[in-house]
Amino acid sequence: MATTKQKSTELFAFKRLILVIGISILCFGLGMRVFLRFNGNRPEYKLFQDDRMHGQIVRSDGTTESFQGHTFSAVHKGDTLTIVIDEPSENPYGIGADLSFFVNSSKVNVFCGDDQIYTQDTALIEKGIMPCNQFYVVSLPPDYAEKSITIEITPVDRASFTSFSAWLSPGGHVSKNLLTGKESAFLLLMAMLVLTGFASILMTVLSILRRKFNPMTLLAYFCFSIILWNIGSQGFLYILSDSIFAGQGEYLALFAACIPLSWYMVIHIQDKVTRTLMKGFAIFFTVFFIYATILNFSPVPASYSTVLMPLHAAILLMMPTYFVSIVRDRAQKRTFSQQIAEYGFRICIGIGMLEFMRFNFVNNFGTSIPFLRSSLGPLAIAELVLTMILSAGYSYASDLMEKVEKEQLRRLAYQDNLTGIPNRSACYVQLDNLVKEKITDYTMLFLDLNFLKKANDTFGHDIGDKMLKLAAEAMTTAFENRGFYGRWGGDEFIACISGDKTKGDEAVEAFRKAVEIINQRETDLPYGLSIAIGRTDSTADAPMEPIEALNAADDRMYLDKKRMKAERVD
């Protein structure tokens, strides 16, 4: 059972871990803030308001629908969406202005008045590479303020959307414009991405080195993937790159995130039935990710978004399975760290399911309610990362406490309580090491404290204990870093000096000097410290087994003890 001191050590380690993580995130955030500040002034931008946007939808069956503003009923594959932005009536940026917007898996054409100023290169689409969530930047002509802007959007995949936003910005500054008003979200997401990425790599390396897999590694990979997905869904990947990965990165991360999530559940579910079902989901997500990736980059005209609905369906089926496992596993015992992860994970899944329903409702039916148009993804991610930090931190503190307890038990097993030097068990370990390491050159000493019984009987055990402690002090002074030593039992001690006979001579001389210094210092002792020594030397030419050498040293110690008693005047 953990002592109060051990619990205090655990709490201190946990607080220190949280402090280090907090300082790391703060430093990263400050560094990113400085980078963004000196990377150029933040440009002004102009978001087109609802009163300047209108258009119509031509359905695949030929029917049409008109709308006003930036929201409309869901547009699907086969429909054509035409958005008209009335003339801005002013040109705030001079002749260098860009029109930018996001569109998901669609062909796009842009007109300024009657002139077509942008037509999408369909070469990639014809090769089967879908654009996914693409960020479009269209350079406007100098007279754009005098004309209306028309955007034609034709979905080429199964993706659907119910809103459209576009803005003007100074020419060449669009990537910075993506951060306008979202600097805090970008810094927070990047900090969490770096943190979870570092945690994933560290846990993987430690698992390899220790040859023991830590399930928290899966949770770290899941957090990294889901944060990358959220970064991509907000268009932040286009700040780093304008390649096709910036548009497909969020889908890649979303498909990948399901793999570590499902395998993490498999490891933690105790019920056999639900664990088997969850293992099936884990295998499906793994295979499905490989299939979707091959499909996305193959000549077949399909992409990640093409198979997004089967992924959503699998997730919807997996969630009830997990909640059933929670009910069935309720009787199982959990560590506090596991409880933190479990309850935090439940909350995250609950938020995730709400976001899943909100996302599909908005994209299929549309809504003008601001609350429903706000994503719950960042909240779920922040909660999950916090859960991972707290669970991993407490687990780290618990492991540290366990190590402290094991170290204390080891000390109790191998340390003499009175003198503080190694005990007989520790000496046996060292003697075995001599045999295992095939060491033949050493000097074995057997030592005995004279007159201990007489001191105990005449002056009390306090004096006897002091004499034992002083003998241990002399051994530590003389034999430290020369070999090993310890209390054999009662008034007997042993020491083994590594090296040839010369090393043994030096150690014995150092011990005698240490005893002499103690006797000069401890003038209140009824007896001067007197220790009999028996010595045996083992050499490469005449090797001895450690126990054999110890027994021989013991016999010679008795001869020295008799001599010292005969010479001593009481």
Side-chain angles (χ1 to χ4, degrees):
M1 184 177 294
T3 64
T4 302
K5 183 176 181 181
Q6 292 165 350
K7 290 180 178 179
S8 177
T9 301
E10 177 188 26
L11 182 60
F12 172 75
F14 182 62
K15 288 181 177 179
R16 184 176 61 180
L17 179 67
I18 298 301
L19 180 62
V20 170
I21 292 173
I23 292 175
S24 299
I25 293 177
L26 178 62
C27 291
F28 179 83
L30 290 175
M32 290 295 294
R33 174 68 71 176
V34 172
F35 169 76
L36 293 175
R37 181 177 181 83
F38 289 96
N39 197 35
N41 295 326
R42 188 176 73 182
E44 295 289 337
Y45 79 102
K46 183 178 181 180
L47 182 69
F48 289 106
Q49 302 300 318
D50 287 355
D51 60 346
R52 308 199 69 83
M53 296 177 63
H54 60 89
Q56 72 172 7
I57 304 170
V58 180
R59 299 295 182 184
S60 56
D61 59 2
T63 60
T64 61
E65 297 178 20
S66 298
F67 63 89
Q68 179 72 38
H70 74 284
T71 60
F72 36 81
S73 57
V75 177
H76 303 281
K77 182 179 180 180
D79 300 338
T80 299
L81 172 66
T82 301
I83 299 171
V84 178
I85 302 175
D86 293 334
E87 61 275 8
S89 72
E90 60 180 6
N91 187 343
Y93 309 120
I95 62 173
D98 290 333
L99 173 71
S100 53
F101 51 88
F102 281 99
V103 174
N104 187 31
S105 299
S106 302
K107 294 180 181 179
V108 175
N109 293 304
V110 181
F111 300 85
C112 186
D114 296 329
D115 300 323
Q116 185 170 6
I117 59 175
Y118 177 83
T119 180
Q120 185 170 358
D121 182 5
T122 59
L124 290 177
I125 297 177
E126 292 171 355
K127 291 180 180 179
I129 301 177
M130 298 291 107
C132 291
N133 189 27
Q134 189 165 349
F135 183 55
Y136 292 84
V137 180
V138 180
S139 298
L140 297 176
D143 60 344
Y144 74 90
E146 302 171 2
K147 301 177 182 180
S148 62
I149 300 172
T150 304
I151 305 170
E152 291 183 356
I153 302 173
T154 304
V156 296
D157 211 338
R158 296 181 183 178
S160 61
F161 46 92
T162 60
S163 65
F164 177 85
S165 296
W167 61 87
L168 284 174
S169 60
H173 294 281
V174 174
S175 62
K176 295 179 184 178
N177 205 32
L178 291 170
L179 286 178
T180 304
K182 297 181 179 180
E183 292 91 338
S184 298
F186 175 73
L187 293 175
L188 178 60
L189 287 171
M190 289 302 297
M192 291 192 296
L193 184 72
V194 172
L195 176 64
T196 53
F198 175 77
S200 302
I201 295 173
L202 179 62
M203 290 181 180
T204 302
V205 172
L206 290 177
S207 296
I208 294 173
L209 294 178
R210 296 175 179 176
R211 297 182 179 179
K212 182 179 180 182
F213 182 72
N214 184 354
M216 290 298 294
T217 307
L218 292 172
L219 192 57
Y221 276 113
F222 169 68
C223 290
F224 178 81
S225 300
I226 209 68
I227 292 170
L228 182 60
W229 164 76
N230 196 258
I231 289 174
S233 66
Q234 297 196 42
F236 290 148
L237 287 178
Y238 282 98
I239 298 174
L240 307 175
S241 171
D242 59 355
S243 66
I244 194 171
F245 173 76
Q248 297 183 336
E250 63 172 293
Y251 290 93
L252 178 67
L254 179 61
F255 277 76
C258 297
I259 299 174
L261 173 64
S262 54
W263 284 112
Y264 178 82
M265 291 179 178
V266 169
I267 293 174
H268 283 81
I269 292 176
Q270 302 296 320
D271 179 66
K272 292 184 178 179
V273 176
T274 50
R275 185 176 186 180
T276 301
L277 289 174
M278 191 59 68
K279 187 178 292 185
F281 282 112
I283 294 173
F284 168 79
F285 285 126
T286 304
V287 175
F288 194 66
F289 169 75
I290 298 172
Y291 164 74
T293 302
I294 294 174
L295 186 68
N296 184 78
F297 295 101
S298 68
V300 179
S303 67
Y304 284 116
S305 58
T306 306
V307 290
L308 197 58
M309 288 305 295
L311 180 72
H312 286 177
I315 293 174
L316 276 179
L317 292 173
M318 181 181 69
M319 291 301 103
T321 304
Y322 178 68
F323 283 116
V324 169
S325 73
I326 292 175
V327 175
R328 295 173 70 99
D329 286 350
R330 190 171 295 174
Q332 299 291 334
K333 291 184 179 181
R334 295 282 195 276
T335 65
F336 187 64
S337 175
Q338 290 173 333
Q339 290 177 17
I340 293 175
E342 181 178 320
Y343 286 107
F345 197 51
R346 292 180 190 179
I347 294 172
C348 180
I349 289 177
I351 299 173
M353 292 186 70
L354 290 175
E355 168 58 19
F356 179 81
M357 291 186 289
R358 183 206 69 81
F359 176 82
N360 282 279
F361 177 81
V362 170
N363 279 274
N364 286 283
F365 302 103
T367 182
S368 59
I369 303 175
F371 173 75
L372 289 179
R373 301 200 68 82
S374 300
S375 174
L376 298 175
L379 177 62
I381 290 172
E383 191 277 335
L384 183 61
V385 172
L386 179 62
T387 296
M388 186 189 74
I389 292 173
L390 293 177
S391 179
Y394 195 87
S395 177
Y396 169 79
S398 298
D399 290 343
L400 181 63
M401 186 190 74
E402 185 178 349
K403 289 179 181 179
V404 171
E405 289 179 344
K406 288 181 178 180
E407 178 62 21
Q408 289 183 342
L409 290 174
R410 189 192 68 80
R411 288 181 179 179
L412 289 174
Y414 294 110
Q415 187 179 63
D416 182 64
N417 290 331
L418 177 64
T419 62
I421 63 175
N423 60 13
R424 187 168 186 152
S425 297
C427 291
Y428 271 124
V429 171
Q430 296 294 342
L431 291 172
D432 288 339
N433 288 339
L434 290 176
V435 177
K436 292 177 181 178
E437 297 174 12
K438 298 180 180 180
I439 297 175
T440 56
D441 287 319
Y442 59 85
T443 297
M444 190 71 70
L445 302 178
F446 204 105
L447 304 96
D448 186 276
L449 179 61
N450 293 324
F451 307 113
L452 178 62
K453 184 176 184 306
K454 189 173 183 179
N456 283 331
D457 295 341
T458 306
F459 302 101
H461 285 276
D462 288 343
I463 296 297
D465 290 347
K466 184 176 182 179
M467 293 173 64
L468 287 168
K469 292 178 181 178
L470 292 173
E473 178 187 335
M475 295 187 69
T476 301
T477 302
F479 303 141
E480 192 77 51
N481 301 323
R482 295 177 186 266
F484 69 85
Y485 60 95
R487 185 180 178 188
W488 193 247
D491 56 0
E492 296 176 336
F493 301 83
I494 71 168
C496 180
I497 311 303
S498 302
D500 55 20
K501 294 181 180 180
T502 303
K503 298 293 184 181
D505 294 339
E506 294 173 355
V508 171
E509 182 62 25
F511 179 72
R512 296 190 189 280
K513 287 183 179 179
V515 171
E516 183 180 347
I517 292 172
I518 290 174
N519 282 329
Q520 292 174 357
R521 185 187 71 203
E522 304 292 337
T523 56
D524 58 338
L525 285 176
Y527 302 106
L529 198 62
S530 174
I531 300 176
I533 302 175
R535 171 178 175 174
T536 302
D537 294 303
S538 173
T539 64
D541 296 332
M544 299 179 67
E545 290 294 324
I547 295 299
E548 179 188 358
L550 188 64
N551 290 333
D554 185 15
D555 293 337
R556 293 171 184 175
M557 178 275 297
Y558 276 108
L559 296 176
D560 191 47
K561 189 177 184 71
K562 291 179 181 179
R563 177 188 62 78
M564 296 178 72
K565 285 185 177 181
E567 295 176 354
R568 186 179 180 96
V569 178
D570 297 336

